[in-house]
Amino acid sequence: MPVASVWNPFLGRPIFEKALFLGRPLFLGRQSVIRYAKPTTVDEALALLGEARWRILAGGTDFYPAQGAKPFRENVLDINGLATLRGIAETDSHWVIGARTTWTDLVRHPLPTAFDALKQAAREVGSVQIQNVASIAGNLCNASPAADGVPALLVLDAEVELRSVAMVRHLPLEKFILGNRRTELQPGEMVTAIRVPKEAATGRSAFVKLGARRYLVISIAMAAARLTIEDGIVGNAAVAVGSCSVVAKRLASVEAALRGLPVDDALVAAIRSAAMDELSPIDDVRGSAEYRLDAAREIVARAVLGAAGHASNDKAVAA
């Protein structure tokens, strides 16, 4: 794609005349210049990813703060022109959320009640302005232990669609996020969608976030729960907690303890006594490890009660 000049969005001006924008690396005299590309098709984006290393720019709400005042040293692949990656579709087997779908898009889209926790989490992702721009896939690729969307997607058994020139693969979300700022994304790959199996999009769900203040805050702990209930008895239960381990975790012992219980005070009693061995919180400026463990049990109870259709008390798990 020959161009008359190459605009550097980080300097706010063109950097030089007549360069091959999507081809070989750009040079200004002897100085190598980072490449910036904004493809308009997924195939074009994958071709670029297959021939060089790029840092992918989607909504940019984490991209720019993470960069800070440091000079850019990486090629930047801006995927905001990929219209096919934005939106939510229903297939015979899955709900498919495009990688560029924003949190506002998600909130506004009609979805089963099983997605209520995800919609509640969406309203906690920064300000409304952030929600209008930030992409759901970006939240996952950023791989923060405090990523608001992860627990709610975990209780939906979400999987991540990864594409490269050579192949398409699908990974369960719990296998995609490996640790703080680490994912299973391989060179040449990009996330193109998040998929929720239809069998997991059943029942009702709820999300609870604990922070130092009500809005615009990184969580101290957060929990999502999804329950299927028949004749007043819990059939299936899915519970996940974030900000209390290096990655958000499903709580297998809590889920097992809830199955088969009546929807009454037995739910809170089961949560009070169930093990939460998956959690390994840290001490930091937002809270101690001990406080986080206590808070996790409390907000799990509130999320479960919310998914069961009951408003929780101010202190749901108090002994």
Side-chain angles (χ1 to χ4, degrees):
M1 182 185 296
V3 293
S5 63
V6 177
W7 181 262
N8 187 318
F10 318 114
L11 298 177
R13 57 177 172 81
I15 46 179
F16 59 90
E17 298 294 319
K18 294 185 179 178
L20 193 60
F21 176 48
L22 296 178
R24 62 184 181 275
L26 306 178
F27 293 88
L28 179 57
R30 296 182 178 180
Q31 180 182 1
S32 179
V33 180
I34 64 167
R35 297 166 66 190
Y36 169 85
K38 189 174 184 180
T40 56
T41 69
V42 173
D43 287 343
E44 185 183 3
L46 295 177
L48 288 165
L49 286 169
E51 55 92 18
R53 285 190 174 273
W54 296 83
R55 186 176 174 192
I56 295 177
L57 167 63
T61 57
D62 286 316
F63 183 100
Y64 293 111
Q67 185 65 30
K70 302 188 298 291
F72 281 82
R73 300 297 186 191
E74 300 169 279
N75 299 327
V76 177
L77 184 66
D78 185 344
I79 66 168
N80 285 295
L82 304 183
T84 58
L85 296 189
R86 183 170 180 178
I88 300 172
E90 181 181 5
T91 70
D92 290 340
S93 59
H94 289 81
W95 287 94
V96 181
I97 304 169
R100 285 192 54 245
T101 304
T102 69
W103 296 104
T104 298
D105 294 336
L106 178 79
V107 168
R108 292 176 176 174
H109 195 88
L111 289 164
T113 55
F115 285 84
D116 285 356
L118 187 58
K119 290 192 174 190
Q120 290 163 2
R123 295 184 176 95
E124 298 285 350
V125 180
S127 64
V128 172
Q129 294 91 333
I130 295 293
Q131 295 162 23
N132 289 343
V133 176
S135 67
I136 297 173
N139 192 249
L140 305 186
C141 292
N142 194 44
S144 165
D148 291 314
V150 176
L153 284 168
L154 285 174
V155 301
L156 289 167
D157 294 338
E159 61 186 27
V160 180
E161 179 180 278
L162 302 166
R163 287 187 61 185
S164 66
V165 170
M167 64 184 296
V168 179
R169 62 188 181 120
H170 299 104
L171 277 181
L173 178 56
E174 61 266 27
K175 293 185 178 180
F176 175 70
I177 301 176
L178 302 178
N180 185 20
R181 313 297 180 181
R182 296 190 300 114
T183 72
E184 184 58 31
L185 195 66
Q186 298 298 308
E189 283 186 326
M190 65 182 293
V191 175
T192 50
I194 297 96
R195 300 171 9 127
V196 174
K198 284 284 187 70
E199 59 266 27
T202 57
R204 298 179 55 171
S205 68
F207 174 83
V208 177
K209 175 175 176 173
L210 173 66
R213 58 180 185 267
R214 181 64 186 88
Y215 296 107
L216 302 176
V217 65
I218 297 174
S219 66
I220 297 170
M222 55 186 159
R226 179 177 62 87
L227 303 179
T228 58
I229 298 170
E230 187 172 351
D231 298 327
I233 302 297
V234 176
N236 189 34
V239 177
V241 169
S243 286
C244 290
S245 46
V246 69
V247 296
K249 295 283 189 177
R250 287 275 294 265
L251 303 185
S253 295
V254 174
E255 294 173 355
L258 292 172
R259 295 185 189 110
L261 291 182
V263 181
D264 57 22
D265 292 343
L267 297 179
V268 173
I271 294 165
R272 184 185 300 143
S273 59
M276 293 185 176
D277 296 336
E278 297 87 350
L279 304 184
S280 52
I282 62 171
D283 297 308
D284 66 11
V285 295
R286 287 183 288 277
S288 67
E290 181 181 8
Y291 175 71
R292 277 191 164 92
L293 284 174
D294 288 343
R297 199 171 295 275
E298 170 64 26
I299 63 175
V300 164
R302 295 188 187 193
V304 166
L305 289 174
H310 296 287
S312 62
N313 297 322
D314 287 341
K315 186 66 175 174
V317 188

